[in-house]
Each structure stands twice: as structure tokens, then as C-alpha cells.
Amino acid sequence: MAYRVNASNWAMPSRSPGSAYAASEYTASELDPNEQENWDDWEREDQYDAEPKCLFCAETFELPEDAFQHCQQVHGFDFLAVKRSLGLDFYKCIRMINYIRKQVQLKPDLANTKEFKLTGDEDFWEDDELLQPVLEDDALLFAFEELEIADDIPEDLLEKETQVDLSNIQPTTEFEKKLLAMLHSADERYSELKSQFEDYQTMVKKTFLDNIIDDTRSERSMSVVSVRTGTGKALEDEGNYYFESYAHNEIHEQMLKDKARTEAYRDFMYENKDVFKDKTVLDVGCGTGILSMFAAKAGAKKVFAVDNSNIVQKAEANIKENGLDNIITVIRGKVEEISLPVAQVDIIVSEWMGYFLLFEAMLDSVLNARNKWLAPNGIMAPSHTRILMAALDDEDLKNDRYNFWDDVYGFKMSAMKGPVINEALVDFIKPHCVMSTVATLKDLYLQQIVTRQLDFKTPFEIEATRDSTVYAFAGWFDTWFTRDGHPIPLSQEAQRVNGETYLTTSPFGEDTHWKQTTFVLEKPIPMKRGSKIRGVFTCHKGTTNPRELECEIQYSIDDSSELHIQSYTLRS
């Protein structure tokens, strides 16, 4: 039975035996009825606007305490124990919830974690950007402060069928005295948390929500970019977290630990020191400064490291710690807007590649820098990239992502299949599932290509190498670094030219953080060895968010007149 505190119209939550997390009987709107109109985004009546969602996986629950208990039992993360052991205050709890949510977005594999640990030494605890909700209407942000209050009341008190009004009670028994003391303590704790939560509501509205509306002047507007399409129309990037997502250590750790990626850049610079000696280098999107430091160690006279993320502060510290601050100058800002103290640079290095090569549209900024500053005989590193595609006979992929909805615990959920089949998937594919020749979809010669050519429409032809069934197409990219920056002549089958540095994201190569991109077919294609799939692959920036990619595959089998068309979106 609930214990009611009459003065605040607040109900102590009840809980089931053995559960550390208790349900609340009050709603967010009850915190301050006068604030209701000003907090529309987080408004609730008798229930949460959005079902409480696990911090790690996609599972949702009826009550927040069930979600917290699931986190403890399934993912090994006891929110209340972490809060107490690390002595977390209200705002650090908010940051912790939003930090975990962001990490799951960046690393979907966390959904499978069985033990998630935090030590208190992480960088995010003072990051005020994490006070902004990652999930709209995140019920756990409303509920976490109730956990400790509920947990402080002994089970034997909660199990009794008793209702208490503090304004009238005159304790006569030891039980009533004990209960009254507990309720007074809980009421004081609640008042404190209520005040903190109201302050938090005001802070989020003022600091974040208003900034989204007034993005022309806000810090967050730095992540809104205009990208020119072939028609000259400017598109606004609605993924307002692009630059902010690169401000945290984890994403850089992931990229630096990608040995194939990082060592390709290192090897190109260290094995071609005669090319870099006494040269001026521009590093676009410098991140931690690793490429700039490679360039300096390779003999560059001057390096300009540019990034529009808060990571530049750590880049400066890294560069100074390694005694390279006399060579490397760090510049904060968008490359489209900054100025350099030199008229031109000899070499531009940048790790701009995204999923399926062009996701995130960072190449637009690199080409802008090339047009503004690269000397006539300057070098782009990398100099040449290529997008490739093949057919897969991976039936498990189709079953896991699409056919799953045909039988969900005995129920059909066909309405869920549309969005799944139209989303390009980023994951590792099994090399043995590649059952066709490989087609080149696009060659990008970085010295020559212009922005409008990044949207492309390419005919392709692939041939089945065995009798099988095609369930999906898969795409990846290859990258070359050349000493003079010029494209190198490559045959369809060629991968590497002697003397050049080569990086592949192929399923047949070393794993990289780019993985591969998969386009699942709605209708599988039975194929005989030697049969051919001919078609047209179209790829362009997203119409609403130019950092995303929209793709269309038109194809037919052999000489069949039946044309299949399927569209996909590659989004974050």
C-alpha cells in the first residue's frame, strides 16, 4: 500500500518483494502544475509519453523501475548501486543516463553487454552537453530520483496496508513513530529532488531547447551545414549532433584502434618522408591530432590541424605533450569559415570516409579546403577512393532483419517490415556469403572530383559465381594514397599498385570500424552460376539530412524484362 505525504500530494511508490526499483504514483505534471504549458515536450498525464526504455537495448517496459531492474539483471548495470558507490548527485545521474544512451547510439553492440562498468574517472561527468535528453520523453530521467527514496524504506513497512497523512497523525506506537520519521525524511528528500528537477527543466529549456529554435546564434548551430546539390539548392543538416558526436573520447578511441585505418595513414607519411619534408600540411577534421603528428614526424615544416569539435582542446594538449606545438597549429572552426595564415598548402590529409564511403558528407568540406588552399601541384591524401558492390546469399541476414516480423511470439507484425527493408545496414558480412563478381559503382579521384559528382547514378553488372540465392547486395570501399596525389590506373580486378599505400574495407580484408553496408532484398533472387544481374545504382545525399544517404537499386536478371526497384536510406 502507498504511503501518502499530504503536503505535497506525492505518493511513495510500492514495490514488489526482491525488487530494488520501485514504481512512482506521481507524474511529471504533478511536480508543478503551473509549469505544465511551458514543458510540453516532457508532458505526461497518468503515464509516460514514451514507454520506459532499457539503457542498453531496445526493450521497453510499462514502468521505469522495470527498465532499471532489467538493466541490472540482463546487462549487469545496477543504477542505484553505481549512484551510491560513486556518490553521484542529481546532475551527474542525468549525465550518466544520457552518456549511456549516446554510447549505445555510437556502439550498438552495447545492447549485448552483460556487464557495464563506470569508475567515476570518465570525462563525461562534467559535460553539460549531456544534460540534454538524448531520447525524447526519456522516462528514466523522471524516475531515477525515486529509486533511493523507495529503497530507503524497509520492506516490512512497505508491505503493511497503511496510509498516512502527516498533517494529522499523532504517533502512539513504535511502528508509527518509525514510519513517521521515515516519511518526514522522504518528504524532505522529495522536496530537494523536486526543486532540482524543476531547475533542470528550466535549464534544459533555456540552454538547449531555445538554442535549437535560435540556431543561427547558438553553439549548436555550428553543426548545421549547408551542402550544395547539383541544382544549387542548399540543404540543412538536421542531424544537429554531428560535430558534438566527435567531442568525446570513445569515438576517437574506436577509430585509433582501427589498425588498418590508422596505420594506412601512418605508413603513407612515414614511408614517403621525402614527399613531406619541409611541406605545409592541412589536416581537415584533425580529431585527436594523430594525423597531424604523423605529418610533423614525417618532416612537415608546418601543419594546420582544423576541427569544429571540442576535441581540439585535447588535440592541442596531445600535440604539446609530444613537443610538436612548434610545428602544429590547431584551429577550431568549420573549414568553410576559417582563415589560414598562409595562401596555400602543399598537402591535405583527412580521414573523411564514412559508412559506404560518403555517409556524413565530410568530403564536401575536404573538397572546399582543396579548392581554397591546395597548391597547383599539391597532394590529396588519400588520393583515390572506390565504392564497390557484390551479391550475398546470406539467408540468416534476411531472416534476422526481415522475416523475423512474420512470427513474433506467435503474432504477425508485417507493418514493421517496411522500415527494416528500406534501411541500409552497417555490419560485418561473412566473406563466404559473397557469391558474385564485384562491381565498381564509383571512382572518386580526389584531385579532380567536384561536389556535385558525389551524387551519382551508375550502371552495374555482376555475375553469380555459384548456384545460390541472392538475399542482399553489399557495398564497401577501397582507398589509395599516392606520392603525387594523382589517380592511378587500376583494372577492375586490381587492388594494389606497387609503391602505393592501400586501405580496404572489403569483407576479405582486415576488419575496420567502417564494416560493410548491406542492402537487403525484399524478394530473394535464385541464381545459377554464370547468370548476371544488370542494373543501375543511384546514390545521393538525404533530402532532409544531407549527412545521410539515400540509395536506389534498379536491376533485372539476365535478359529478363522484369525490372526490380528498391530504395534504401543509410542513416545514423
Side-chain angles (χ1 to χ4, degrees):
M1 183 66 183
Y3 297 82
R4 295 191 176 275
V5 181
N6 186 51
S8 61
N9 192 30
W10 174 69
M12 279 300 300
S14 62
R15 61 183 173 182
S16 58
S19 170
Y21 301 131
S24 171
E25 294 183 10
Y26 74 89
T27 68
S29 60
E30 290 174 322
L31 291 178
D32 185 353
N34 295 326
E35 183 67 13
Q36 185 67 22
E37 292 182 2
N38 296 327
W39 197 246
D40 292 336
D41 287 339
W42 287 28
E43 178 182 359
R44 295 198 309 276
E45 294 299 333
D46 296 327
Q47 60 184 3
Y48 297 95
D49 282 352
E51 289 184 319
K53 181 180 179 182
C54 171
L55 288 169
F56 300 94
C57 66
E59 190 165 349
T60 58
F61 302 86
E62 183 178 351
L63 297 171
E65 68 273 16
D66 294 334
F68 283 117
Q69 189 170 7
H70 169 86
C71 290
Q72 178 185 1
Q73 294 176 349
V74 176
H75 302 290
F77 182 75
D78 188 334
F79 184 97
L80 188 56
V82 172
K83 177 179 183 295
R84 287 175 169 174
S85 65
L86 299 182
L88 304 183
D89 61 19
F90 176 85
Y91 290 101
K92 287 185 177 179
C93 287
I94 292 282
R95 292 185 183 101
M96 178 166 63
I97 290 174
N98 287 320
Y99 169 77
I100 295 173
R101 298 250 187 244
K102 275 198 170 186
Q103 288 307 295
V104 170
Q105 290 179 352
L106 294 171
K107 304 175 182 178
D109 288 347
L110 279 178
N112 301 320
T113 186
K114 302 297 182 184
E115 187 178 20
F116 185 83
K117 298 292 186 183
L118 292 172
T119 65
D121 296 326
E122 294 81 7
D123 293 335
F124 73 84
W125 296 107
E126 304 300 328
D127 185 354
D128 286 347
E129 290 181 359
L130 290 174
L131 294 175
Q132 180 186 9
V134 172
L135 293 187
E136 185 178 2
D137 302 318
D138 189 345
L140 301 195
L141 292 176
F142 291 97
F144 76 83
E145 77 271 24
E146 304 160 26
L147 303 181
E148 191 157 9
I149 296 174
D151 201 64
D152 284 341
I153 298 182
E155 292 286 349
D156 61 336
L157 296 187
L158 286 175
E159 290 171 358
K160 294 185 178 294
E161 298 289 331
T162 307
Q163 185 167 347
V164 180
D165 186 338
L166 293 185
S167 63
N168 298 321
I169 188 171
Q170 297 295 325
T172 58
T173 67
E174 286 302 315
F175 166 74
E176 289 177 344
K177 291 178 181 178
K178 186 176 181 181
L179 175 61
L180 186 61
M182 292 294 300
L183 290 175
H184 275 303
S185 176
D187 194 28
E188 292 174 0
R189 175 69 174 146
Y190 166 72
S191 297
E192 175 187 350
L193 291 169
K194 176 173 178 280
S195 175
Q196 288 178 323
F197 196 81
E198 289 170 348
D199 291 343
Y200 174 59
Q201 289 177 326
T202 302
M203 183 276 299
V204 171
K205 276 185 63 64
K206 181 176 180 180
T207 307
F208 294 106
L209 300 182
D210 289 347
N211 284 354
I212 293 175
I213 297 172
D214 188 18
D215 62 8
T216 58
R217 287 174 293 180
S218 70
E219 176 71 13
R220 293 176 51 74
S221 71
M222 289 167 34
S223 65
V224 179
V225 298
S226 292
V227 181
R228 294 286 171 183
T229 66
T231 61
K233 180 181 178 182
L235 295 176
E236 189 177 82
D237 179 2
E238 293 182 355
N240 286 322
Y241 304 102
Y242 176 69
F243 292 114
E244 294 169 4
S245 70
Y246 283 92
H248 307 292
N249 279 17
E250 290 76 14
I251 192 168
H252 294 283
E253 179 180 350
Q254 180 189 32
M255 291 189 292
L256 291 170
K257 286 181 176 178
D258 183 341
K259 291 181 62 178
R261 161 203 179 267
T262 308
E263 291 181 2
Y265 282 87
R266 182 201 63 186
D267 292 350
F268 173 66
M269 290 187 249
Y270 284 7
E271 292 173 8
N272 294 280
K273 291 185 176 180
D274 59 312
V275 173
F276 281 80
K277 182 175 175 55
D278 295 331
K279 295 296 193 301
T280 300
V281 177
L282 172 61
D283 178 1
V284 180
C286 68
T288 58
I290 186 69
L291 302 190
S292 293
M293 290 190 283
F294 285 158
K297 284 290 188 180
K301 176 179 62 178
K302 188 66 183 175
V303 181
F304 298 103
V306 178
D307 206 300
N308 193 35
S309 162
N310 285 331
I311 194 66
V312 295
Q313 298 169 7
K314 294 176 182 177
E316 284 186 304
N318 295 337
I319 290 163
K320 186 173 183 179
E321 183 177 19
N322 287 278
L324 297 172
D325 49 321
N326 61 323
I327 299 174
I328 305 170
T329 299
V330 178
I331 301 173
R332 169 74 184 269
K334 292 165 64 174
V335 75
E336 292 85 355
E337 299 174 356
I338 64 165
S339 298
L340 294 182
V342 295
Q344 60 185 27
V345 298
D346 303 299
I347 302 170
I348 294 179
V349 297
S350 179
E351 197 277 81
W352 53 265
M353 296 86 81
Y355 299 134
F356 200 59
L357 188 64
L358 296 175
F359 180 72
E360 290 185 336
M362 184 180 166
L363 181 54
D364 298 71
S365 297
V366 176
L367 297 184
N368 183 290
R370 178 200 67 186
N371 296 341
K372 290 169 65 175
W373 291 301
L374 189 63
N377 295 316
I379 296 172
M380 297 289 289
S383 53
H384 180 182
T385 57
R386 170 179 285 178
I387 304 174
L388 305 109
M389 186 181 76
L392 304 179
D393 60 3
D394 190 350
E395 185 176 9
D396 291 340
L397 176 66
K398 179 71 176 286
N399 289 334
D400 289 345
R401 293 291 302 179
Y402 186 67
N403 294 335
F404 164 79
W405 300 106
D406 290 336
D407 184 358
V408 184
Y409 297 95
F411 298 97
K412 290 180 179 263
M413 296 187 178
S414 300
M416 308 297 292
K417 297 170 76 170
V420 170
I421 209 68
N422 291 319
E423 285 188 6
L425 311 176
V426 176
D427 205 347
F428 293 111
I429 64 175
K430 305 163 189 172
H432 68 268
C433 291
V434 176
M435 49 78 61
S436 76
T437 56
V438 178
T440 294
L441 296 180
K442 182 73 173 178
D443 276 307
L444 291 81
Y445 304 120
L446 278 301
Q447 299 284 133
Q448 305 165 358
I449 197 166
V450 296
T451 303
R452 67 176 181 274
Q453 294 173 324
L454 302 184
D455 293 344
F456 64 89
K457 187 173 186 178
T458 303
F460 69 87
E461 178 181 292
I462 54 179
E463 180 178 322
T465 55
R466 60 176 178 262
D467 294 354
S468 192
T469 300
V470 180
Y471 291 94
F473 295 111
W476 60 87
F477 64 89
D478 289 347
T479 302
W480 292 267
F481 300 77
T482 63
R483 286 174 52 85
D484 58 7
H486 294 155
I488 52 182
L490 294 172
S491 66
Q492 178 71 21
E493 295 77 20
Q495 289 187 331
R496 185 165 190 167
V497 172
N498 291 335
E500 309 299 345
T501 304
Y502 168 71
L503 167 66
T504 183
T505 63
S506 161
F508 305 105
E510 184 177 351
D511 287 348
T512 73
H513 76 283
W514 288 288
K515 305 179 181 179
Q516 292 87 39
T517 303
T518 306
F519 307 92
V520 178
L521 300 181
E522 187 170 3
K523 296 180 180 179
I525 311 169
M527 297 282 290
K528 294 289 186 182
R529 181 178 180 180
S531 295
K532 294 182 179 180
I533 301 175
R534 297 181 177 90
V536 176
F537 192 101
T538 302
C539 179
H540 60 79
K541 296 180 180 69
T543 52
T544 57
N545 181 357
R547 293 203 183 276
E548 297 178 345
L549 291 178
E550 293 176 4
C551 304
E552 180 186 86
I553 306 176
Q554 301 182 30
Y555 61 93
S556 59
I557 313 303
D558 290 328
D559 296 323
S560 171
S561 60
E562 184 179 5
L563 182 65
H564 304 272
I565 303 176
Q566 200 163 332
S567 299
Y568 304 87
T569 300
L570 178 55
R571 56 171 56 93
S572 56

